[in-house]
Amino acid sequence: MKRILVTGGAGFIGSHLCERLLSEGNEVICLDNYFTGSKANVVALLNNPYFESVRYDVCSPYFAEIDEIYNLACPASPIHYQYNGIKTVKTSVMGAMNMLGLARRTKAKMLQASTSEVYGDPMVHPQVESYWGNVNCIGERSCYDEGKRCAETLCLNYHRQNGIKVKIIRIFNTYGPKMHPNDGRVVSNFIMQALQNKDITVAGNGSQTRSFQYIDDLVEGMIRMMDRTEDSFIGPVNIGNPGEFTILELAQKIISMTNSKSRIVYIPLPQDDPMQRKPDISLAKEKLDWQPTVALDEGLKKTIAYFDNLLQTGKK
Ligand code: NAD
Ligand code: UDP
């Protein structure tokens, strides 16, 4: 049995990860300040004696005897990470430093949840890990993009200077049950709008693309990366679904799958919104024997059912 710390454990991805790690017989400490996460995401785990939930901010050092750290704490949706950009930079950078410091003291292995945003508005398509990216370092998204880039830098420097075992994954747009309904991300927004027959808000002309990964595929990729015995494989490695869709296609698909009466309306494209995004997952296939198994329609079906139930029961 390993004792595993999951920062951001009450968030969308973190709560799925905690559940999976517990189901595999581990002890899990979930650390979260509940900025975008919610107790509802982990309430079902609270009866498990091997699960501990701690209200804590990763900007302060944390001490516990642990074997592994999954460092996920950071708001991930543009509206939330731009709400207080300074705090987002602190969370990414100081959070990574504090967790790497903890890894150094405890000799724990740390997996850093990085992002496809490190590629910015990419000039190379699909994105390969060797591409250095095209990020506007003073734009509205930079608090998140540069914070995450710096966190990768820190991981590599702690590894080189202190021999810390680090693993970096670059996560591409992920969706599924337990996303916050008002999170502002495109999949949750469109499903909530469609289920309530409200206007579907497509940014720009909807020709920008994203590649959507179902949560279960991501969790599998995270665990394979952490558990890989060859610790010399640090990454970064892309974890995403290469199926690429325009945002307009996504809107039409969700309207059709929900039998919605919603109309599509067009809203301004946010600053620096990447025009295209699709992971090259050759490295994940080769090193982790991993590839996604859930097609968009199948994952959307489960996600729609989740939000539908949320609306029926009024719970979140
Ligand atoms: P989320 O907002 O649901 O989860 C983030 C969690 O971190 C929340 O529970 C939040 O309360 C917590 N948090 C934020 N600041 C904190 C702080 N200072 N101290 C402690 N906890 C804090 O988002 P998510 O989608 O679950 O994302 C999890 C991680 O994965 C993030 O690091 C994000 O950057 C990364 N990621 C997610 C996606 C995606 O598509 N969901 C894509 C790329 C990367
Ligand atoms: N988007 C949209 N309508 C919305 C929310 C998002 O058209 O209501 C667009 C957004 O401009 C972007 C894409 O959908 O082009 C994905 O946005 P999201 O915030 O989910 O993720 P990210 O931009 O970080 O990939």
Side-chain angles (χ1 to χ4, degrees), residues 10 28-32 34 39 42 46 51-55:
V28 173
I29 304 174
C30 159
L31 194 145
D32 205 294
Y34 299 107
K39 282 201 176 164
V42 289
L46 292 174
F51 180 74
E52 282 171 67
S53 174
V54 183
R55 180 182 288 269

Side-chain angles (χ1 to χ4, degrees), residues 7-15 31-38 41 56-59 71-77 80 87 90-92 112-117 144 148 169-175 178-180 183 185 218 222:
T7 77
F12 159 53
I13 297 172
S15 56
L31 194 145
D32 205 294
N33 71 351
Y34 299 107
F35 173 47
T36 51
S38 112
N41 282 342
Y56 201 81
D57 192 313
V58 288
C59 295
N71 188 33
L72 274 63
C74 188
S77 153
H80 288 127
K87 178 69 184 179
K90 282 186 180 170
T91 296
S92 269
Q112 170 65 18
S114 191
T115 167
S116 52
E117 281 284 321
Y144 182 73
K148 288 286 187 178
I169 57 165
R170 292 183 177 156
I171 304 171
F172 283 64
N173 296 63
T174 305
Y175 69 96
K178 295 197 201 172
M179 289 183 93
H180 197 287
D183 189 55
R185 281 182 272 191
L218 169 62
M222 294 176 100

Side-chain angles (χ1 to χ4, degrees), residues 226-242:
M226 181 66 107
D227 287 354
R228 205 188 141 79
T229 43
E230 185 205 313
D231 283 329
S232 61
F233 181 59
I234 291 171
V237 60
N238 291 336
I239 301 287
N241 190 322

Side-chain angles (χ1 to χ4, degrees), residues 120-122 125 205-210 244 269 272-277:
D121 190 4
H125 193 74
N205 62 10
S207 63
Q208 69 275 31
T209 67
R210 293 293 186 274
E244 185 183 12
L269 193 68
D272 296 332
D273 199 292
M275 284 315 294
Q276 51 182 2
R277 183 178 290 156

